[in-house]
Amino acid sequence: MLCIYDFCNRWFCVESGSIENPSIILTHGFPSQAYSYHKVLPILSKDYHAIGFDWLGFGFSDKPQPRYGFDYTLAKYVSSLESLLNELPINKVSLVAQEYFAPVVVKYASSHQEKLNNLILFNPPLTEKHASLPLTFSIQQLFASIFVNQDPLRASHKALTSCGPYKMKEDDAMVYRRPYLTSGSSGFALNAISRTMNKELKTHVEEMRTTLMDEKWKVQTTICRGQRDRWLSYDGVEDFC
């Protein structure tokens, strides 16, 4: 593991494989952390220089107070991604993105196509039905968990256990819970980005669809979709592709 600093913030990163290999950047979804790739990194390291990181506000990266250095808007995440990648010793990369952060990665990629070998999107929000957060992240539920009950872990735990049909091992779940157990800033960050997502996600999903369908889009793009995702339904995905 390593920490990388951009102009203002510290990013928690994990790295595997020789720097001489082609580079692949793994970005996690919402709400998650780079640990979601912990079983994939050793496999990729055989052929790639693989780097995963925690987005600002998640995992073990910095969690700036909203409106004091980082506003948790999707535009801020795009610019912060650019700042981070500029600090890495890489040239062209393959970019991997998961679900609700896919619009951020595609927005970055649209302005830096020359830096990408290819783009892989796991369960991205592609249809109108995908353009809002699930009820798990409604402002009312987050407000109750974080501020009324003083329990941001409760908000995070519900997300971890409700997004799919698979049961997470307790040791793995504790890795995701730990930031919420050690600092109240994790809860404030989760609330801030959830508010932004609820306001901006529809616009950014539409922009992502437009970008991916534009004839000027030249990056080889692969979309991987799970049919049993409880948050982002499969309906309409094949028609888009």
Side-chain angles (χ1 to χ4, degrees):
M1 67 185 67
L2 67 155
C3 292
I4 295 176
Y5 293 83
D6 61 15
F7 295 111
C8 302
N9 299 297
R10 179 184 60 86
W11 297 71
F12 175 84
C13 302
V14 289
E15 181 182 27
S16 187
S18 171
I19 196 172
E20 302 299 325
N21 291 336
S23 296
I24 183 168
I25 304 295
L26 308 169
T27 71
H28 66 77
F30 168 80
S32 187
Q33 53 183 271
Y35 185 74
S36 60
Y37 291 108
H38 74 284
K39 290 188 177 181
V40 176
L41 278 168
I43 299 172
L44 290 175
S45 67
K46 298 174 183 178
D47 300 301
Y48 294 93
H49 174 220
I51 299 174
F53 63 84
D54 291 341
W55 288 105
L56 295 177
F58 295 95
F60 301 96
S61 288
D62 277 353
K63 301 165 185 68
Q65 186 175 350
R67 296 187 296 277
Y68 292 91
F70 194 78
D71 292 337
Y72 294 97
T73 63
L74 298 188
K76 280 286 189 180
Y77 273 111
V78 174
S79 62
S80 69
L81 176 60
E82 180 174 10
S83 296
L84 172 65
L85 296 185
N86 286 341
E87 295 297 322
L88 296 174
I90 54 179
N91 293 314
K92 297 193 72 172
V93 303
S94 297
L95 266 178
V96 178
Q98 290 186 23
E99 34 99 347
Y100 292 110
F101 271 112
V104 170
V105 175
V106 172
K107 182 70 171 179
Y108 165 82
S110 66
S111 300
H112 302 281
Q113 294 191 52
E114 75 284 354
K115 295 183 178 181
L116 271 65
N117 288 319
N118 50 64
L119 177 68
I120 302 169
L121 305 177
F122 286 105
N123 284 24
L126 291 172
T127 72
E128 186 175 347
K129 292 181 179 179
H130 299 160
S132 59
L133 292 180
L135 292 178
T136 301
F137 288 100
S138 69
I139 295 300
Q140 292 83 358
Q141 290 201 37
L142 285 173
F143 185 87
S145 295
I146 295 173
F147 299 108
V148 177
N149 299 322
Q150 296 293 302
D151 188 9
L153 176 61
R154 179 179 175 184
S156 172
H157 180 76
K158 189 169 184 180
L160 289 172
T161 57
S162 67
C163 60
Y166 307 104
K167 185 175 181 180
M168 185 182 299
K169 293 181 179 179
E170 184 62 22
D171 288 346
D172 292 330
M174 280 306 302
V175 177
Y176 292 100
R177 294 172 184 150
R178 192 170 297 126
Y180 299 93
L181 294 170
T182 57
S183 172
S185 62
S186 297
F188 283 100
L190 180 62
N191 180 60
I193 184 56
S194 297
R195 286 180 176 274
T196 296
M197 287 277 188
N198 277 300
K199 291 178 181 178
E200 300 182 358
L201 187 59
K202 182 177 181 179
T203 298
H204 284 270
V205 168
E206 291 173 353
E207 288 182 357
M208 182 176 69
R209 286 172 55 90
T210 300
T211 297
L212 294 176
M213 293 188 294
D214 195 317
E215 62 181 14
K216 296 180 181 179
W217 179 253
K218 304 299 183 183
V219 178
Q220 179 180 332
T221 304
T222 302
I223 295 176
C224 304
R225 167 67 58 170
Q227 294 185 336
R228 300 173 68 185
D229 192 310
R230 292 175 179 169
W231 290 357
L232 295 159
S233 69
Y234 191 77
D235 296 343
V237 174
E238 287 190 12
D239 292 337
F240 174 81
C241 294

